[in-house]
Amino acid sequence: MNLTLKIWRQKDPQDKGRMVTYRVEDVSPDMSFLEMLDVLNERLILEGDEPVAFDHDCREGICGMCGMVINGVAHGEQVATTTCQLHMRHFEDNAVITIEPWRAAPFPVVKDLVVDRSSFDRIIQAGGFISVPAGSAPDAHSVPVKKEDADNAFDAATCIACGACVAACPNGSASLFTAAKITHLSLLPQGQPERESRAKAMVEQMDAEGFGGCTNTGECTAVCPKGIPLDTIARMNREYLRASK
């Protein structure tokens, strides 16, 4: 496969940034998207140019590091797929591919395709944890949990904090991410003692970080690689309203 890549290049947060066009040849259809970028970077290094900076870690669709907008879609057009699990066989030969970083004020660009997602960390620090001592791990099934609650908690817990929901939202909202973290803990017995304070603190921290409000557009769940449903946000809103009474 031969490809034309239009990649956002920005040397630091103060740089204005620009799109730069590269030609990549002899790309195997079996390569992942990140492997294709590795090939480009190897060539750039050999030519004495600066390689394209991008986030990555596990490359197994688990860590949530590999965020980028591909042809205008967060993680690309394949449903329920992270960038690292996207393969080049999904693109046509001689395709033109645009690659950009997440675009949101709370995700400032660090370099090229790398953005600072520490705002997510601060939302978690505001309450996305259980601080009540719970002792050692209990025996299996010793704490009954309704199957519906267990299923919903597990679905919410699959959030990998990649930030695609923010990048796709026209308002730059982090509601799906925050809702997933609140939902996960609010449905389990261990999360009950801090349930109300958690919801209030995390939503208020989300607002303080500068994320936009949710208007139920649904773009967030459409690009979420883990398929977290939109009704998770409704649950977060109920939790917050109850905590604010």
Side-chain angles (χ1 to χ4, degrees), residues 201-212:
M202 293 182 72
V203 170
E204 290 177 354
Q205 184 63 41
M206 175 183 68
D207 292 339
E209 293 293 339
F211 291 103

Side-chain angles (χ1 to χ4, degrees), residues 10-23:
Q10 184 173 338
K11 64 181 181 180
D12 56 47
Q14 288 71 45
D15 184 29
K16 186 177 181 180
R18 69 197 188 283
M19 298 295 288
V20 178
T21 301
Y22 300 97
R23 186 70 176 169

Side-chain angles (χ1 to χ4, degrees), residues 84-130:
C84 64
Q85 296 288 285
L86 177 65
H87 287 82
M88 301 314 299
R89 56 180 169 267
H90 297 297
F91 296 89
E92 298 289 338
D93 188 25
N94 291 312
V96 177
I97 304 174
T98 61
I99 310 171
E100 302 174 81
W102 292 160
R103 301 290 190 181
F107 287 167
V109 174
V110 176
K111 183 177 181 181
D112 296 338
L113 305 176
V114 179
V115 299
D116 180 358
R117 285 176 281 188
S118 59
S119 52
F120 271 10
D121 296 332
R122 291 187 289 273
I123 293 174
I124 294 297
Q125 290 167 0
F129 50 85
I130 295 173

Side-chain angles (χ1 to χ4, degrees), residues 156-180:
T158 61
C159 172
I160 57 176
C162 65
C165 52
V166 176
C169 179
N171 305 325
S173 174
S175 291
L176 192 67
F177 161 77
T178 307

Side-chain angles (χ1 to χ4, degrees), residues 5-232:
L5 307 179
K6 295 184 176 181
I7 304 178
W8 182 260
R9 301 303 307 265
Q10 184 173 338
K11 64 181 181 180
D12 56 47
Q14 288 71 45
D15 184 29
K16 186 177 181 180
R18 69 197 188 283
M19 298 295 288
V20 178
T21 301
Y22 300 97
R23 186 70 176 169
V24 182
E25 299 178 345
D26 297 326
V27 173
S28 169
D30 296 324
M31 284 183 179
S32 72
F33 199 86
L34 296 190
E35 288 172 335
M36 180 273 295
L37 291 178
D38 289 337
V39 170
L40 170 63
N41 279 344
E42 288 174 1
R43 194 194 79 196
L44 292 177
I45 292 170
L46 289 174
E47 294 174 351
D49 292 332
E50 186 77 12
V52 178
F54 60 91
D55 273 329
H56 62 97
D57 192 1
C58 74
R59 300 201 178 198
E60 295 180 350
I62 299 172
C63 70
M65 291 294 292
C66 60
M68 57 188 73
V69 176
I70 303 169
N71 288 339
V73 181
H75 288 304
E77 297 179 357
Q78 293 299 308
V79 177
T81 303
T82 55
T83 301
C84 64
Q85 296 288 285
L86 177 65
H87 287 82
M88 301 314 299
R89 56 180 169 267
H90 297 297
F91 296 89
E92 298 289 338
D93 188 25
N94 291 312
V96 177
I97 304 174
T98 61
I99 310 171
E100 302 174 81
W102 292 160
R103 301 290 190 181
F107 287 167
V109 174
V110 176
K111 183 177 181 181
D112 296 338
L113 305 176
V114 179
V115 299
D116 180 358
R117 285 176 281 188
S118 59
S119 52
F120 271 10
D121 296 332
R122 291 187 289 273
I123 293 174
I124 294 297
Q125 290 167 0
F129 50 85
I130 295 173
S131 63
V132 177
S136 59
D139 294 333
H141 307 303
S142 64
V143 180
V145 180
K146 292 194 300 183
K147 185 179 187 305
E148 181 182 0
D149 288 346
D151 289 344
N152 289 333
F154 183 83
D155 288 344
T158 61
C159 172
I160 57 176
C162 65
C165 52
V166 176
C169 179
N171 305 325
S173 174
S175 291
L176 192 67
F177 161 77
T178 307
K181 302 305 179 183
I182 290 174
T183 295
H184 169 212
L185 297 178
S186 70
L187 290 172
L188 299 177
Q190 297 90 336
Q192 297 308 307
E194 298 166 299
R195 181 174 177 177
E196 294 187 2
S197 61
R198 176 186 302 112
K200 190 171 189 298
M202 293 182 72
V203 170
E204 290 177 354
Q205 184 63 41
M206 175 183 68
D207 292 339
E209 293 293 339
F211 291 103
C214 175
T215 52
N216 294 316
T217 305
E219 293 294 333
C220 55
T221 190
V223 300
C224 176
K226 300 305 177 182
I228 295 174
L230 194 62
D231 59 10
T232 309

